[in-house]
Amino acid sequence: MALDTDTPLNSLGFAKPPAETRVVVAMSGGVDSSVVAAQLAEEGYDVVGVTLQLYDHGAALAKKGACCAGIDIHDARRVAEEMGFPHYVLDYENIFKDAVIDEFADSYLAGATPVPCIRCNERVKFKDLLETARDLEADCMATGHYIQRKMGANGPELHCAADANRDQSYFLFSTTPEQLSYLRFPLGHLPSKAATRELAAKYGLAVADKPDSQDICFVPNGDYASVIEKLRPGAAEPGEIVHADGRVLGTHEGVIHYTIGQRRGLGIGGLSEPLYVVKLDVDTRRVIVGPKEMLATRIVPVREINWLGDAPFDSRPEWHVSVKVRSTRPPREAIIRPTSATTADVELLTPEEGVSPGQACVFYESDGSRILGGGWIWKG
């Protein structure tokens, strides 16, 4: 059906009044998604709030202040009541365990350093929840992520947030073009988190001063190893800490206690040189350590690539882009050489330290804010 060209587009991009535009807002109970819901409700949209309960908030894995459990569900429901729109809580505990938590545990035991927040967006929020939004006959789904959706010559494009300190593009690289056509990110243009809190105060939301959630939602205090031990009892087996030159320097209580690039807490004091974890050999249960220069990586094999560029990914022998190999690092110049439609070798023009299997490698325009997709780093 053709758009009515006489009707101006509303703020969500539809040629009809806000009151006739239904939008499902994914509400975690935090200030960001609460502001999105409140703002759209004030603008007159037909807002439906949905919160996912991702795990039993009384279980040992959960923690106070994490999203999608306990007090956060209560906070999301309270915002909906204050702003006068319906709110639903969906039990996604089994889906979350199967799609996110189990893979996190297995990846960690395999010597990788997984990023479960990306898998949650990919497999739960932007898949099952998005389908729920369609079932509710919503025109679109909005979230509180700090990222921008802009219309380009070939359709919607994914761009970094205006506030580089809040940008969440690293965690959203796997958003597909089809999903992007349905999603909206109303906070992406804001200059700072302070601006979001000002809006929360303006709407009189009780969560205006609520602290940001920290760490992974189901990992208390960032202690990955203790969570893995609960999920996979007895899976952590002791082994040797070995220097790259073959010397046995000590023993460990399980590979899960170590990550690539780690220096502190190795338990091998008394050495003349600082040593870092340079490899985790799960098969032999060995933690390989060596000098810092051994961490430098130039060629990064990447698979499960989601490509958001205009031309097909494998239509060129190489792409000159910028990439992030960790969420906390700035993009660096790189050359992507596709080996198939979903795999590639990424050459970092300046070698990076601590590149780890299980992390994401996210692609950006070299001279712009557009996200071109990304993939998962693997051992090769």
Side-chain angles (χ1 to χ4, degrees), residues 235-315:
E237 297 184 51
E240 296 176 329
I241 300 175
V242 182
H243 194 285
D245 63 14
R247 287 177 291 152
V248 176
L249 302 179
T251 60
H252 63 78
E253 295 302 315
V255 172
I256 64 171
H257 296 283
Y258 300 85
T259 57
I260 301 295
Q262 179 179 337
R263 177 185 175 188
R264 299 181 183 279
L266 300 182
I268 49 173
L271 299 171
S272 59
E273 60 174 336
L275 295 176
Y276 300 78
V277 176
V278 298
K279 182 180 178 182
L280 298 172
D281 191 331
V282 176
D283 293 335
T284 63
R285 303 197 303 276
R286 284 185 160 190
V287 175
I288 314 298
V289 298
K292 188 175 184 180
E293 54 265 25
M294 290 192 67
L295 288 171
T297 301
R298 181 177 289 275
I299 304 299
V300 182
V302 180
R303 62 184 177 181
E304 293 183 59
I305 289 171
N306 178 57
W307 180 246
L308 296 174
D310 296 326
F313 179 62
D314 53 358
S315 63

Side-chain angles (χ1 to χ4, degrees), residues 119 122 173-177 300-309 312-314 319 336-346 360-363 372-378:
R119 289 302 196 192
E122 173 188 325
F173 80 84
S174 61
T175 305
T176 66
V300 182
V302 180
R303 62 184 177 181
E304 293 183 59
I305 289 171
N306 178 57
W307 180 246
L308 296 174
F313 179 62
D314 53 358
W319 298 88
I336 306 172
R337 296 187 176 92
T339 52
S340 75
T342 57
T343 61
D345 289 325
V346 177
C361 180
V362 181
F363 314 149
L372 297 174
W376 296 93
I377 299 169
W378 62 303

Side-chain angles (χ1 to χ4, degrees), residues 60-139:
L61 293 183
K63 63 172 185 173
K64 183 179 181 181
C67 69
C68 307
I71 188 65
D72 299 282
I73 292 174
H74 169 75
D75 287 343
R77 181 181 293 117
R78 183 166 55 167
V79 168
E81 291 173 352
E82 291 171 353
M83 300 303 298
F85 59 82
H87 175 258
Y88 301 97
V89 178
L90 305 181
D91 182 357
Y92 271 46
E93 187 175 343
N94 290 336
I95 292 173
F96 185 67
K97 183 179 184 300
D98 293 343
V100 180
I101 294 180
D102 283 346
E103 186 193 65
F104 169 84
D106 294 339
S107 296
Y108 225 90
L109 288 171
T113 308
V115 191
C117 298
I118 298 176
R119 289 302 196 192
C120 182
N121 289 326
E122 173 188 325
R123 297 176 174 177
V124 181
K125 293 176 182 175
F126 290 178
K127 183 184 177 187
D128 293 277
L129 178 55
L130 194 144
E131 288 304 313
T132 297
R134 293 187 189 278
D135 291 342
L136 291 170
E137 300 182 341
D139 294 282

